[in-house]
Amino acid sequence: MTNMKNKKIKDNNPDSKLELANKIAKQSKKVVNTYAHFEDSLFRIIRSFSSWIDNVLFNQRFSVIVSLGLAILLYVTVNFNSQNSIFGNPLVNAKEVMDVPITARYNSDTFEISGLPTSANITLVGEGSNVNAAVNQKGTIVANLEGLTEGQHVVKLTTEGYGDNITVKVDPTDVVVTLKKKSTGQFDIGYDFINQDKMNSIYSLGTPEFEYSKVNVRASKETLDSIAFIKALIDVTNVDSNFEQEATLVAYDKKGIPVNADIVPNTVKVKVPVTSPNKTVPIVVETVGDVPNGKAIQSITMDHESVTIYASESVLSKINEVGVSLDASTLTKDSNVLRPITLPTGVKSSSVNQITMDVKLGEGVTKVIPNVPIYHKNTKYKFTVLNDQAYVDVEIFGTQENIDKVNADDIMVYFDMSGATPGNQEFKLSVEQPVGSLVKYSVAQPTLSVTVLGEADDNTTDESVGTN
């Protein structure tokens, strides 16, 4: 009791309180000094580390090591979140491979298969290194139909060639396929020339000669019924003489779409003759339009008078000339004109593709040629011409020198009776413009009145009205 009282008295002593306050102040000052010392030391450490980092990063001796370290850090960072992460669980790494081919195992001599896709997708699962190795392997998907009979079947797809240390998942897992028994049909062999654009156009291909003309085809009855023809595909790339080759045979349906069938054998030996038929024919200028300002063409001189054309014999037999068109309405003075040669249908190429014409002009003159006989064409009836008209006047226009060369015998005026019916009718009179002529012809009288008789006439040749 006495001690407690003494303590209380002591606590209430002002000197004691002052002493306690001094102790607390000294302790606080000591803490502040300690913290300041620690802070100063920490800053010195940070400044030293920063200076060291600067010396390493920007020192040429350490640049290779720094680059390598950064590359490794970047690689680890990128691959940390990938499916093949070197830090991830090796059992969950996966990679998808698209469009892996499917191989069917079945008796192809007996059955035809349908419904099987050509490819499927797979997913490779396993350790990263194993998955990467499997991706580069030439694996395949297998549809095993061995032992199955004709009809529809559900087949599980499996894989081969990816190794045993990974798991392979196939999408789709199962497929529905149909097996149909094959039968044999016989077809004639046709042909198609391929790559004709790679052959010089001056050459012509003859009729191929095959080692045999028919071929056997094995397929289901449905497929055989869809086949319209079998063609040998004959490659004519760069051919310039007779040649032989083994041509591939392909089956087609009526729309020209290839049909999947077994052609036995699938090639045929063929011989093809190659020729270069040609013919040299004159070049004729065909003028259209009229020369302005009352002028006419006096003469046309060409740098080539003829051209050699290349085509089949049947085409060449029908061609006696080739034309070049000249628009007279564009001529205002003597001119040199470059124009392309117009090749007839069926002509593949020519020795000359264009010609240069030296065109001379002169003053145009008009002249009338009287009493030109009228001819009729394509008639199967007898007829009479009203007023017994058998002749007509023809007006010609050209330079004086050119029209002086024309007489009535050079002009053909006619009317076409191909659409005639019995009774009175009017037919249009036409005048034949000679090819290459520099003189223009026109008929003064545009029509002719004719009475067509009902009696048939066996005479269908072109004759003058005066001889009817």
Side-chain angles (χ1 to χ4, degrees):
M1 185 72 173
T2 303
N3 292 334
M4 290 181 63
K5 186 182 289 186
N6 292 333
K7 185 176 181 181
K8 186 174 182 181
I9 294 171
K10 187 178 181 180
D11 290 339
N12 291 328
N13 191 333
D15 294 332
S16 298
K17 290 182 180 180
L18 181 59
E19 183 180 357
L20 179 60
N22 289 332
K23 287 182 179 181
I24 293 173
K26 289 179 179 180
Q27 188 66 30
S28 299
K29 186 176 181 180
K30 183 177 181 181
V31 170
V32 170
N33 291 335
T34 302
Y35 179 81
H37 179 72
F38 174 79
E39 186 180 43
D40 185 64
S41 299
L42 180 61
F43 279 127
R44 282 201 301 271
I45 293 172
I46 292 173
R47 284 195 297 270
S48 298
F49 181 76
S50 175
S51 177
W52 179 79
I53 289 295
D54 290 342
N55 289 334
V56 171
L57 290 178
F58 300 104
N59 192 317
Q60 224 172 10
R61 292 181 300 172
F62 298 101
S63 60
V64 175
I65 298 175
V66 172
S67 299
L68 178 60
L70 290 175
I72 293 173
L73 179 61
L74 179 61
Y75 175 82
V76 171
T77 303
V78 171
N79 285 274
F80 183 82
N81 293 321
S82 70
Q83 292 180 336
N84 296 320
S85 172
I86 61 175
F87 299 106
N89 187 341
L91 296 180
V92 297
N93 291 321
K95 182 167 288 188
E96 189 176 17
V97 181
M98 311 295 288
D99 298 326
V100 179
I102 298 176
T103 299
R105 290 179 180 167
Y106 68 106
N107 188 343
S108 59
D109 293 332
T110 304
F111 296 108
E112 175 184 287
I113 186 173
S114 61
L116 182 68
T118 57
S119 64
N121 303 329
I122 63 171
T123 301
L124 307 175
V125 182
E127 293 186 10
S129 59
N130 293 335
V131 170
N132 290 333
V135 168
N136 296 322
Q137 293 178 2
K138 299 296 182 181
T140 186
I141 301 173
V142 177
N144 191 353
L145 288 80
E146 292 179 344
L148 299 181
T149 58
E150 185 175 19
Q152 194 176 77
H153 306 276
V154 178
V155 180
K156 184 177 182 61
L157 297 179
T158 60
T159 60
E160 291 181 354
Y162 292 103
D164 300 328
N165 51 4
I166 62 169
T167 300
V168 184
K169 298 177 181 179
V170 185
D171 181 26
T173 304
D174 301 317
V175 292
V176 178
V177 298
T178 301
L179 292 177
K180 298 177 183 179
K181 280 191 176 180
K182 289 182 177 181
S183 55
T184 302
Q186 194 172 69
F187 295 84
D188 293 325
I189 299 176
Y191 66 90
D192 268 340
F193 293 121
I194 60 175
N195 295 322
Q196 292 193 66
D197 58 328
K198 298 178 182 178
M199 182 184 77
N200 194 316
S201 58
I202 70 171
Y203 297 107
S204 254
L205 300 165
T207 303
E209 179 184 338
F210 294 105
E211 185 179 10
Y212 43 84
S213 60
K214 294 182 181 293
V215 67
N216 291 328
V217 180
R218 283 187 57 78
S220 67
K221 184 179 183 305
E222 180 182 353
T223 299
L224 288 176
D225 291 342
S226 71
I227 296 176
F229 43 83
I230 304 292
K231 285 191 174 182
L233 303 183
I234 305 172
D235 189 354
V236 296
T237 302
N238 296 327
V239 299
D240 55 8
S241 60
N242 299 347
F243 66 95
E244 296 182 9
Q245 69 175 229
E246 288 286 336
T248 300
L249 296 173
V250 179
Y252 296 91
D253 64 15
K254 62 182 179 181
K255 295 181 179 179
I257 300 173
V259 176
N260 186 17
D262 297 334
I263 304 175
V264 184
N266 61 359
T267 62
V268 61
K269 187 175 182 179
V270 60
K271 298 178 181 179
V272 182
V274 179
T275 58
S276 182
N278 60 81
K279 184 178 183 180
T280 300
V281 294
I283 300 173
V284 177
V285 178
E286 301 170 353
T287 58
V288 294
D290 298 319
V291 181
N293 304 320
K295 298 281 187 178
I297 297 176
Q298 170 64 37
S299 65
I300 298 175
T301 304
M302 299 178 289
D303 60 347
H304 292 88
E305 298 291 336
S306 62
V307 60
T308 300
I309 55 176
Y310 297 85
S312 64
E313 294 287 358
S314 60
V315 172
L316 292 176
S317 64
K318 301 174 184 178
I319 300 174
N320 296 314
E321 60 191 25
V322 296
V324 175
S325 176
L326 174 63
D327 186 357
S329 64
T330 63
L331 302 173
T332 57
K333 60 181 180 179
D334 295 350
S335 305
N336 282 322
V337 181
L338 181 67
R339 295 294 298 155
I341 295 176
T342 304
L343 296 179
T345 302
V347 176
K348 298 178 180 179
S349 63
S350 61
S351 60
V352 179
N353 295 320
Q354 58 187 12
I355 63 169
T356 299
M357 295 177 282
D358 182 16
V359 182
K360 302 293 185 183
L361 302 182
E363 292 297 328
V365 178
T366 300
K367 179 180 179 181
V368 175
I369 306 293
N371 298 324
V372 177
I374 301 173
Y375 289 81
H376 60 86
K377 291 185 176 184
N378 303 317
T379 181
K380 61 181 179 179
Y381 296 108
K382 289 186 176 181
F383 64 92
T384 59
V385 178
L386 298 183
N387 302 322
D388 293 327
Q389 183 179 354
Y391 300 89
V392 69
D393 294 343
V394 175
E395 187 178 89
I396 62 176
F397 176 81
T399 62
Q400 187 67 55
E401 182 179 345
N402 288 329
I403 66 174
D404 285 345
K405 301 175 184 177
V406 180
N407 56 53
D409 294 337
D410 300 322
I411 305 173
M412 172 74 168
V413 177
Y414 67 93
F415 61 97
D416 190 346
M417 295 186 64
S418 57
T421 57
N424 292 335
Q425 296 171 58
E426 283 195 351
F427 292 94
K428 179 183 177 182
L429 288 177
S430 300
V431 59
E432 214 170 69
Q433 183 74 33
V435 177
S437 174
L438 300 179
V439 176
K440 298 287 185 180
Y441 299 76
S442 60
V443 184
Q445 178 182 323
T447 61
L448 182 69
S449 298
V450 175
T451 300
V452 180
L453 305 177
E455 183 181 353
D457 188 354
D458 293 334
N459 183 12
T460 59
T461 59
D462 300 340
E463 291 186 354
S464 168
V465 171
T467 63
N468 183 61

